[in-house]
Amino acid sequence: KVNGIEFAVADLSLAESGRHQMRLAEQEMPGLMATRREFAEAQPLKGARVAGSLHMTVQTAVLIETLVALGADVRWVSCNVFSTQDEAAAAVVVGPDGTPEEPTGTPVFAWKGETLEDYWWCTDQLFQFADGLGPNMVVDDGGDATMLVHKGVEFEAAGAVPAPTDDDDADEYKIVLATLARSLAEDAGRFTRIAAAIKGVTEETTNGVKRLYKLAADGTLLFPAINVNDSVTKSKFDNKYGIRHSLVDGLNRGTDVMIAGKLAVICGYGDVGKGAAESLRGQGARVVVTEIDPICALQASMEGLDVVALEDVVAKGDIFITTTGNLDIIMAADMARMKHNAIVGNVGHFDNEIDMAGLAKVPGIKKVEIKPQVHEWRFPDGHSVIVLSEGRLMNLGNATGHPSFVMSNSFTNQTMAQIELFTKQGEYDRQVYVLPKHLDEKVARLHLDALGVKLTKLTPKQAEYIGVEVEGPFKTDQYRY
Ligand code: NAI
């Protein structure tokens, strides 16, 4: 704690560099900055205590300062052990007017290269606002903060934390259990009180949204949720065009291997998979896709991509990227069959797409660190595979994630969703909602001028003919874009 601000970041002296990068990012985030201006006076988030668990990047720094500008009291952590940009974390703590010696910004608990113990310690810090208070709003990415609250409440009701099992895949869960056991020992009603105070969560990504819908279906969701991911201006932009930019960035910074001419295998052809395929095709790779869903498989085929089974290309591929949000996609036995120095990376939210635990257990295997977040795994037969970011999101671990402009779309949705849930308490049930279409269209509209886009305006006659209002919304909720 310095100057009354709690934090745990790598190095506050990086703040100046972070601030310069934020300045450039602000210019590239027209929607988010317009939202900041629109609501600065009204202060709709006054009284909100926002706990944010979302990659602590430069773009997120601009989001944090937007929430603060709208009146919120904020604490922040990253939702991934490798995704923090240390200079952004430092800049947020120091604040626009502070110095590293006298920070005046926002509490952040995040650094690049956390251990899993660090990660869950940081996540626990989210819930410790000043004066013994917890948050009353959550911004989540992947659902870890929401999960901690729900498990905390569950175990407090049971009066005990279950004993960890011996299942190796549950290593991280054991740390969650230990975190909650400590909390329970100190204060057996802590998470129950925290959950009761939370007015809502706004969730950023596909995997987190899946967790929320499951809680809602089970009837165990403890507060209302807005699914930000499924705003059209989020998933059809960030997941696709964001990854189109940051996947190739991560590959280049991690390996600098020539992508042109290589055989690239993309597992999953959803929104992220579509962006990944374009990213590598744009570099001249020969791209093939694996899918389980006939619709997405047909889409890939119509784009001229071969849709294959992994086992048929595993020995031929040069670059393997998982984008499924599912588990057990590339197993140790697959990597055992790969070409020498094949590159394996994941951009799905969790690290269980690639069987890292199985890889570490291959008899005689050796792990060589080429540089942080780039490892050569040498099999006893002499061939190696290069694994990026230890199987975690490589576009954030090996690069800096999506660029500002696309994140402006995502974070304008986030900000609107926070305002919506915080200012309309009582209007939302313990269910999962998406933002209304007119707000989705507004997010897009806020980004048009910067790109020199000139919209055609409907005439009243045309609007009536297609059954919409002149000012929109222009599509039904069923429209798929
Ligand atoms: P999505 O649901 O649109 O796409 C996933 C696709 O994987 C689906 O088409 C599904 O049929 C397919 N799939 C599932 N199991 C499979 C299997 N065993 N083999 C082959 N294909 C399989 O989801 P979306 O939005 O594309 O997100 C994917 C993941 O990426 C999620 O975990 C999401 O949270 C994450 N994400 C990561 C970002 C990043 O910056 N790295 C940005 C946005 C999302």
Side-chain angles (χ1 to χ4, degrees), residues 46-63:
K46 199 163 181 56
R49 296 185 303 279
V50 179
S53 167
L54 194 155
H55 308 292
M56 186 54 255
T57 61
V58 167
Q59 293 72 29
T60 302
V62 181
L63 169 64

Side-chain angles (χ1 to χ4, degrees), residues 205-207 239 270-272 291 323 325-326 347 349 393 395 402:
T205 199
T206 316
N207 266 79
N239 302 24
D271 291 321
V272 172
E291 251 299 341
T323 76
N326 203 345
V347 290
H349 191 80
L393 297 164
N395 63 316
H402 300 349

